[in-house]
């Protein structure tokens, strides 16, 4: 049975790019009579915005999205990552017992140019936020002393050239070399906060998620997650990466792009079915201008998704021109 998920981070309002992935994750699971899970990804403390979760959930309900499992109920709980840290700790302890983890006290300066900002380790690494592969500077080579770290060390996973195999819903079976692509990646930051890659992999495996639908800016994370899930003895879900929505400058939507939040359209009196219709039509889906969730579920065709980014202006124009 298909199990999909939508995994928002409560760092602001639900924007149209997030809504597109929510709608397609929902439609993809539902069209095969599967279930859909809502998971709250709130490990990135400083970026959390008070009240954002309640607002996002309210917007999703207004649009007619009904999740089968989530913070309110479900047998795979808790569904909020900040309540799952014991599980992440147990997994890291297990990997360490298998000699697959080592501490790393490289500073950002010492890392090769272009390494991600430390914050990007906890937040999902969106487009352009990932740097060069880790060079393996701290990888244990025999007698390295465990004493004398210059700062609280992060924990890295020892990666091998064993290909990470997973199914991409549109491209078929892929095999990627994580050691070459990113090197030994961080599981836990020096301050004890678990990395996005670890938390998402542990959760997708523990919640028996069989398909992941999310923004294409996270495409490069799939190999790491499939690799980790296999290390944990699981089978990776299939991945469908939906093109991101971009603002006028061609860059991924940010708070600077006005008119990108669901709330702004809702407040302006746009009906939910009109908003869904304009959004998913811009994503090539064959639906009427007014489109209910049910109609989308019946019509959803992942092969019709565009390959390139989708401009927000296309959706705005569709909503204004009527
Ligand atoms: N929580 C992540 C985000 O909002 C999504 C992670 C994922 O879908 O894997 O960017």
């Amino acid at each position: 049975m298909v199990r999909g998920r939508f995994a928002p981070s409560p760092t602001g309002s639900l924007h149209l790019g997030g809504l597109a992935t929510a709608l397609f994750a929902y439609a993809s699971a539902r069209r095969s009579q599967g279930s859909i899970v809502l998971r709250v990804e709130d490990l990135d403390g400083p970026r959390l915005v008070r009240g954002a979760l309640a607002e996002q959930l309210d917007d999703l309900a207004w649009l007619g999205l009904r999740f089968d499992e989530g913070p309110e109920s479900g047998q795979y709980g808790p569904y909020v990552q900040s309540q799952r840290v014991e599980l992440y700790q147990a997994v890291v302890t297990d990997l360490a017992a298998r000699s697959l983890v080592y501490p790393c006290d490289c500073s950002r300066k010492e890392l090769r140019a272009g390494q991600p900002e430390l914050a990007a380790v906890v937040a999902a690494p969106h487009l352009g936020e990932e740097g060069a592969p880790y060079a393996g500077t701290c990888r244990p080579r025999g007698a390295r002393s465990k004493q004398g770290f210059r700062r609280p060390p992060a924990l890295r996973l020892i990666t091998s050239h064993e290909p990470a195999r997973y199914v991409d819903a549109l491209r078929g079976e892929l095999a990627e070399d994580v050691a070459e692509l990113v090197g030994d990646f961080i599981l836990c930051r020096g301050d004890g906060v678990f990395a996005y890659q670890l938390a998402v992999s542990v959760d997708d495996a523990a919640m028996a998620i069989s398909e992941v639908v999310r923004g294409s800016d996270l495409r490069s994370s799939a190999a790491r997650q499939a690799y980790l899930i296999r290390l944990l003895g699981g089978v990776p879900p299939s991945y469908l990466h939906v093109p991101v929505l971009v603002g006028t400058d061609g860059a991924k939507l940010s708070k600077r792009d006005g008119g990108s939040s669901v709330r702004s359209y809702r407040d302006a009196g746009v009906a939910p079915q009109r908003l869904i219709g304009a959004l998913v039509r811009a994503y090539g889906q064959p639906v009427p201008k007014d489109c209910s969730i049910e109609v989308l579920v019946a019509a959803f065709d992942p092969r019709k998704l565009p390959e390139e980014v989708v401009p927000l202006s296309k959706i705005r124009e569709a909503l204004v021109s009527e």
Side-chain angles (χ1 to χ4, degrees), residues 104-107 110 137-138 144 147-153:
C104 165
D105 66 351
C106 288
S107 71
E110 289 159 351
T137 318
C138 290
R144 190 179 191 278
Q147 305 296 312
F149 290 114
R150 296 160 299 164
R151 54 187 64 79

Side-chain angles (χ1 to χ4, degrees), residues 254-279:
S254 72
K255 291 203 182 89
R256 276 170 291 128
D257 293 285
S260 66
S261 73
V262 169
R263 200 46 79 112
S264 63
Y265 291 97
R266 191 176 165 181
D267 289 348
V270 175
Q273 301 196 350
R274 182 58 56 94
L275 185 58
I276 295 172
L279 181 59

Side-chain angles (χ1 to χ4, degrees), residues 20 29 41 53 69 149 170 243 250 254 266 283 286 305:
E41 305 208 324
L53 177 61
E69 297 166 35
F149 290 114
L170 294 176
S254 72
R266 191 176 165 181
Y283 274 88
L305 289 170

Side-chain angles (χ1 to χ4, degrees), residues 137-322:
T137 318
C138 290
R139 202 194 250 231
R141 285 184 194 87
R144 190 179 191 278
S145 159
K146 288 208 163 131
Q147 305 296 312
F149 290 114
R150 296 160 299 164
R151 54 187 64 79
L155 297 176
R156 288 188 185 267
L157 179 72
I158 295 192
T159 53
S160 76
H161 290 288
E162 174 72 29
R165 293 183 195 284
Y166 66 93
V167 173
D168 178 295
L170 294 176
R171 305 168 174 192
E173 251 184 71
L174 300 180
E176 291 173 359
D177 185 334
V178 173
E180 193 176 311
L181 288 172
V182 291
D184 296 342
F185 57 92
I186 294 182
L187 301 178
C188 183
R189 230 164 45 174
D191 62 4
V193 179
F194 290 99
Y196 159 75
Q197 303 293 353
L198 177 87
V200 164
S201 309
V202 169
D203 289 349
D204 284 339
M207 294 178 180
I209 299 302
S210 65
E211 68 170 34
V212 167
V213 179
R214 63 184 173 195
S216 58
D217 54 335
L218 290 172
R219 190 188 298 286
S220 69
S221 293
R224 262 166 287 176
Q225 294 169 13
Y227 185 90
L228 255 175
I229 289 172
R230 289 203 191 276
L231 267 187
L232 304 177
V235 177
S238 72
Y239 295 89
L240 172 63
H241 290 106
V242 174
V244 292
L245 205 54
V246 295
T248 34
D249 54 358
K252 190 179 180 239
L253 285 188
S254 72
K255 291 203 182 89
R256 276 170 291 128
D257 293 285
S260 66
S261 73
V262 169
R263 200 46 79 112
S264 63
Y265 291 97
R266 191 176 165 181
D267 289 348
V270 175
Q273 301 196 350
R274 182 58 56 94
L275 185 58
I276 295 172
L279 181 59
V280 305
R281 280 158 67 99
Y283 274 88
Q285 298 304 304
V287 300
K289 282 184 179 164
D290 290 296
C291 175
S292 66
I293 297 285
E294 293 70 29
V295 169
L296 173 63
V297 169
F300 178 55
D301 183 351
R303 287 162 310 175
K304 293 208 161 76
L305 289 170
E307 287 189 11
E308 295 297 320
V309 293
V310 174
L312 173 65
S313 53
K314 206 168 162 181
I315 297 151
R316 253 200 225 133
E317 279 156 24
L319 286 168
V320 186
S321 71
E322 286 144 23

